[in-house]
Amino acid sequence: MRIEDYALIGDMQSAALVARDGSIDWLCLPRFDSPACFAALLGSERNGHWWLGPRGRRPATRRRYRPDTLILESEWDTPTGTVRVIDFMPPRDHNPDVVRIVEGVSGSVEMSTQLRVRFDYGRIVPWVRRDNGHLQAIGGPDSVWLHSPVPLKGGDYAHRAAFTVHEGDRLAFVFTWHPSHEPMPPQIDCDTQLDETEAMWADWVSRCTYSGPYREAVVRSLITLKGLTYAPTGGIVAAPTTSLPEDLGGVRNWDYRFCWLRDATMTLDALITSGYLEEAADWRAWLLRAIAGRPQDLQIMYGVAGERRLPELRLDWLDGYEDSRPVRIGNEAVKQLQLDVYGEVMNCLFVARSRGLAPDDRAWSIQRQLLDYVEEHWDEPDEGLWEVRGPRRHFVHSKVMCWAALDRAVKYVERFGRTGPVDRWRTLRDAIHAEICDKGYDPQRNTFTQSYGSSELDSALLLIPMLGFLPADDPRVVGTVAAIEKELMSDGFVLRYPVAADNEVDGLPGAEGAFLACSFWLVEVMAMQGRKDGARELFERLLDLRNDVGLLAEEYDPRYARLVGNFPQAFSHVPLIHAARALA
């Protein structure tokens, strides 16, 4: 399956990817970052999957989400009839469940299912037993039960069944995880859970304040972002997958199942501006717990509960998606210095406060400590927004975000009556602004550059007018946007920065696709500059890249006309929402 052939289901604690042919090829339980029990996405079916569909294994004729939900419906038309499979994960009370309901729509259809449970990312073959007609798989700390309305037969380390569905038939399969030392959890009522899950999503979507011309795309993106939120803590993961490649067959494969401060703040910004302040309050509480301590210990990412140790490991027993090795879990970038995150945090909290989030004295105290760190370290080189694994540089975007941190601090004092050394902050803010315009701008080419003294461009420079650093019609911004459109476009979409064998910026071999967030940023800037027709044309081209159920990966590779990178990607859906608002 291509990456775009998958759909997302989830319970706001974990998520599964369901392929167009009815196979669940990725599922981590009980959390987003737990070891996968279905890992066929990054290997083969022998690394774990659960297929359910018409005999003969064919792609669904059509599929969709139930309106305003994360409930997936896939339908197959066959020569003898039509069948529907409803996939969802009900918001959990205790144990996570995956529910698959088979409905006979017309005629009769011969169906098959195959289950291979493999714990620890496809490495552990569990011990399987039957108990009163139910199937249990146990391996170390993990135990799962499959409650099946049809008998399954074991063989070749898998369990299979064949059955026929007639018009009006309704069969429910339930896959439940629990710690192996606990007894079997009680069975759920699938119809009740389906109704409650649908009602929950409909109620949540009803709070959306966006009513512009692209509401369908915006709502689907908001639901996706909500689905990437870890409900117990308020943390937000960047994506529910690891190691889906940015370069097919290459090494640019990273684990995104963690909470990047940058991605989370951008996600919260999109939710807040769409009417979701409760999520902002939950995330602020998560943030205060995660970053509690010394400001110099701030990390760029944390686990969903605020964990700080995220060691990067390679899973050599997995072949990788389309032979893209290595498969990684954990993320070594957690150790990087990325000065832009301070600006992201300050900006997000400022937006939330401006939109009505209640003041919090402890939050302001921690913000003051973060600002002390910015004052002391803003002039250092760092790894920057794109987490380069080459040498540190004075990235212009990082400096702009340091400016933004101080700018929002000044506004906190001016608008909300907070106390702090505002004159000192204002003086340093203006000094950083002046330095960026001096060292980060190339007057001969009339463009800002990726880093001080560099001739390279960087699409993160598109954020300059959005942050208020300079107006969108400033000649230097106009020149920068024109340079990016000329030098960083591939097949009409925007690359992050030049990737070439002689460019040591990111320190990695291989190429990559167009970064979708960057293209949405260009839409927003074009709209700010009054170029609405061109912005709308690009925006609608980007919407056409979504898969059939409205989801986007991290990148689009024009070489193969395919989505690449982890999926679905919060960093792609967030700027979609902002771009739609800019066009509205």
Side-chain angles (χ1 to χ4, degrees), residues 71-189:
I71 300 169
L72 179 69
E73 295 186 341
S74 305
E75 291 184 351
W76 286 262
D77 294 334
T78 75
T80 60
T82 297
V83 67
R84 177 186 302 124
V85 175
I86 303 170
D87 290 314
F88 70 102
M89 294 178 68
R92 70 182 77 165
D93 292 325
H94 182 61
N95 299 103
D97 299 291
V98 177
V99 180
R100 315 194 74 179
I101 300 175
V102 180
E103 293 184 333
V105 178
S106 64
S108 63
V109 180
E110 294 184 355
M111 300 286 290
S112 296
T113 187
Q114 176 174 276
L115 175 72
R116 292 182 188 269
V117 179
R118 297 292 185 269
F119 296 122
D120 194 23
Y121 302 100
R123 190 175 65 90
I124 295 177
V125 178
W127 173 59
V128 180
R129 71 183 183 96
R130 298 180 190 276
D131 187 340
N132 292 326
H134 309 295
L135 206 65
Q136 183 189 26
I138 299 175
D142 300 292
S143 174
V144 295
W145 291 85
L146 178 65
H147 306 292
S148 170
V150 297
L152 291 96
K153 295 181 179 179
D156 191 29
Y157 298 101
H159 284 77
R160 302 173 181 85
F163 56 99
T164 301
V165 175
H166 302 279
E167 181 177 343
D169 286 350
R170 187 176 175 88
L171 304 175
F173 297 76
V174 183
F175 182 90
T176 303
W177 179 95
H178 69 96
S180 60
H181 64 275
E182 294 183 359
M184 180 179 75
Q187 285 186 250
I188 62 172
D189 183 303

Side-chain angles (χ1 to χ4, degrees), residues 441-442 445-448 457 461-462 464-465 470-486 522 525-526 528-531:
Y441 175 72
D442 183 342
R445 297 168 60 204
N446 187 30
T447 181
F448 286 95
L457 296 175
L461 301 170
L462 293 168
I464 284 175
L470 287 173
D473 59 358
D474 185 283
R476 292 164 291 185
V477 173
V478 173
T480 301
V481 174
I484 288 173
E485 290 183 82
K486 179 181 178 181
L522 179 57
V525 173
M526 292 171 71
M528 294 171 70
Q529 293 177 335
R531 301 161 57 195

Side-chain angles (χ1 to χ4, degrees), residues 433-498:
H433 193 285
E435 180 180 295
I436 294 169
C437 292
D438 177 38
K439 296 183 178 180
Y441 175 72
D442 183 342
Q444 294 184 334
R445 297 168 60 204
N446 187 30
T447 181
F448 286 95
T449 59
Q450 184 178 53
S451 60
Y452 289 176
S454 168
S455 61
E456 304 290 355
L457 296 175
D458 190 323
S459 61
L461 301 170
L462 293 168
L463 296 170
I464 284 175
M466 300 181 212
L467 293 162
F469 183 85
L470 287 173
D473 59 358
D474 185 283
R476 292 164 291 185
V477 173
V478 173
T480 301
V481 174
I484 288 173
E485 290 183 82
K486 179 181 178 181
E487 300 181 30
L488 282 187
M489 300 285 282
S490 176
D491 197 33
F493 302 108
V494 184
L495 303 172
R496 291 191 295 178
Y497 48 80

Side-chain angles (χ1 to χ4, degrees), residues 40-299:
L41 181 71
L42 301 178
S44 72
E45 290 182 354
R46 291 191 174 275
N47 297 119
H49 80 125
W50 180 14
W51 171 63
L52 176 63
R55 189 176 300 178
R57 197 77 179 263
R58 68 198 75 177
T61 308
R62 57 193 162 271
R63 60 181 183 168
R64 63 161 195 158
Y65 285 113
R66 286 194 176 182
D68 296 343
T69 75
L70 205 58
I71 300 169
L72 179 69
E73 295 186 341
S74 305
E75 291 184 351
W76 286 262
D77 294 334
T78 75
T80 60
T82 297
V83 67
R84 177 186 302 124
V85 175
I86 303 170
D87 290 314
F88 70 102
M89 294 178 68
R92 70 182 77 165
D93 292 325
H94 182 61
N95 299 103
D97 299 291
V98 177
V99 180
R100 315 194 74 179
I101 300 175
V102 180
E103 293 184 333
V105 178
S106 64
S108 63
V109 180
E110 294 184 355
M111 300 286 290
S112 296
T113 187
Q114 176 174 276
L115 175 72
R116 292 182 188 269
V117 179
R118 297 292 185 269
F119 296 122
D120 194 23
Y121 302 100
R123 190 175 65 90
I124 295 177
V125 178
W127 173 59
V128 180
R129 71 183 183 96
R130 298 180 190 276
D131 187 340
N132 292 326
H134 309 295
L135 206 65
Q136 183 189 26
I138 299 175
D142 300 292
S143 174
V144 295
W145 291 85
L146 178 65
H147 306 292
S148 170
V150 297
L152 291 96
K153 295 181 179 179
D156 191 29
Y157 298 101
H159 284 77
R160 302 173 181 85
F163 56 99
T164 301
V165 175
H166 302 279
E167 181 177 343
D169 286 350
R170 187 176 175 88
L171 304 175
F173 297 76
V174 183
F175 182 90
T176 303
W177 179 95
H178 69 96
S180 60
H181 64 275
E182 294 183 359
M184 180 179 75
Q187 285 186 250
I188 62 172
D189 183 303
C190 294
D191 289 329
T192 299
Q193 291 296 322
L194 178 60
D195 291 342
E196 291 180 354
T197 301
E198 187 168 16
M200 182 279 296
W201 280 111
D203 177 69
W204 188 81
V205 170
S206 70
R207 294 156 46 197
C208 175
T209 58
Y210 177 84
S211 58
Y214 299 105
R215 180 174 169 82
E216 177 274 329
V218 168
V219 168
R220 179 49 51 197
S221 291
L222 288 168
I223 291 172
T224 303
L225 297 177
K226 179 66 172 175
L228 298 179
T229 302
Y230 186 66
T233 66
I236 302 172
V237 298
T241 56
T242 179
S243 301
L244 288 180
E246 298 168 10
D247 182 22
L248 293 174
V251 300
R252 297 170 182 265
N253 316 316
W254 317 110
D255 193 346
Y256 276 16
R257 300 169 301 152
F258 306 115
C259 303
W260 269 257
L261 295 187
R262 175 191 309 107
D263 295 52
T265 56
M266 291 182 175
T267 299
L268 259 296
D269 196 9
L271 290 169
I272 291 164
T273 55
S274 300
Y276 295 100
L277 270 183
E278 181 180 338
E279 284 73 14
D282 290 343
W283 181 81
R284 184 175 66 181
W286 172 87
L287 174 71
L288 297 181
R289 294 190 300 270
I291 69 175
R294 302 181 303 169
Q296 60 266 38
D297 295 331
L298 179 76
Q299 297 182 179

